[in-house]
Amino acid sequence: MRIVLLGPPGAGKGTQAAEVARRAGIPHISTGHMMRAAIQSGTPVGERAKGFVDAGRLVPDDVMIEVVRERLAQDDCAPGFLLDGYPRTVAQAGALKNLLTELDLALTHVVELVVPNDVLLERLLERGAREGRSDDAAEVIAERLKVYEELTRPVSAFYAEAGSLVRIDGVGTIQEIQERLAAALENGPGEP
Ligand code: AP5
Ligand code: MG
């Protein structure tokens, strides 16, 4: 399975992706997690990403496209992968398509978690209070939601036009959403 999991900040991508990837025996690739790890280790990518992540803005496409290209070339991606938080711009979606075409591969599923903004805000503020993730401060969350509307919403349209997008309701218990997701992956649209 080669899966893209879309959804706004706080939609539950990371929560759900971990379980789906574990069950499918494929790596869970979270570009947000990769950026936070790079920032913590002070790598060149981390140095470039830091200001953007702290401000709730997107890391530039050229950086992200290269990071994902390198990650997907690793051996553990041979049986498939689950991308969480990528692509986030139409340019990234195009680059992913080109990369997979080069490798003679295609995505098998594109699933979007749909969650209204008031629920997103509540979840992220709660996590900010609990875990102290710096981009979960109220003003940074607002920026992340704005960036999502402007730059990532069109990615859903990109896949919807290709006929490969499945939208599922991301409100409910973690278990309920896991079951909806499992059903969507079983009845996926096939090769987008
Ligand atoms: P990233 O880490 O991807 O952040 P995000 O998508 O903005 O938001 P989250 O990861 O916080 O949300 P999620 O959907 O994973 O939800 P989660 O499961 O955690 O990106 C961070 C930054 O990195 C970006 O802002 C950008 O700067 C940079 N970046 C990353 N990818 C990039 C790209 N491709 N291009 C450019 N820049 C990029 O859940 C959230 C909370 O809700 C948790 O506390 C969880 O426990 C709770 N929760 C989950 N499900 C439920 C439920 N069903 N009910 C109640 N609570 C729930
Ligand atoms: Mg996440």
Side-chain angles (χ1 to χ4, degrees), residues 5-134:
L5 186 57
L6 298 172
K13 300 182 297 297
T15 303
Q16 299 296 335
E19 179 62 15
V20 169
R22 191 188 63 76
R23 280 201 216 167
I26 54 177
H28 166 201
I29 301 175
S30 158
T31 48
H33 177 80
M34 289 170 80
M35 288 305 104
R36 284 186 292 280
I39 291 167
Q40 244 189 347
S41 325
T43 65
V45 165
E47 294 288 311
R48 248 199 106 183
K50 188 173 186 331
F52 296 100
V53 173
D54 286 346
R57 314 248 329 260
L58 295 185
V59 176
D61 283 335
D62 61 326
V63 178
M64 291 311 310
I65 288 169
E66 190 49 32
V67 163
V68 169
R69 168 184 283 276
E70 282 175 19
R71 183 64 189 87
L72 294 185
Q74 286 172 20
D75 288 346
D76 63 333
C77 293
F81 52 79
L82 191 167
L83 281 169
D84 153 12
Y86 188 93
R88 247 171 157 102
T89 64
V90 170
Q92 292 177 14
L96 177 62
K97 188 166 192 245
N98 292 341
L99 173 62
L100 293 175
T101 303
E102 258 175 52
L103 300 170
D104 208 15
L105 294 172
L107 295 173
T108 58
H109 302 83
V110 182
V111 185
E112 180 176 45
L113 291 172
V114 180
V115 179
N117 274 12
D118 55 334
V119 177
L120 299 173
L121 187 62
E122 193 183 319
R123 287 183 187 172
L124 294 173
L125 286 173
E126 210 172 276
R127 183 177 60 191
R130 191 177 64 235
E131 294 176 15
R133 205 176 114 172
S134 59

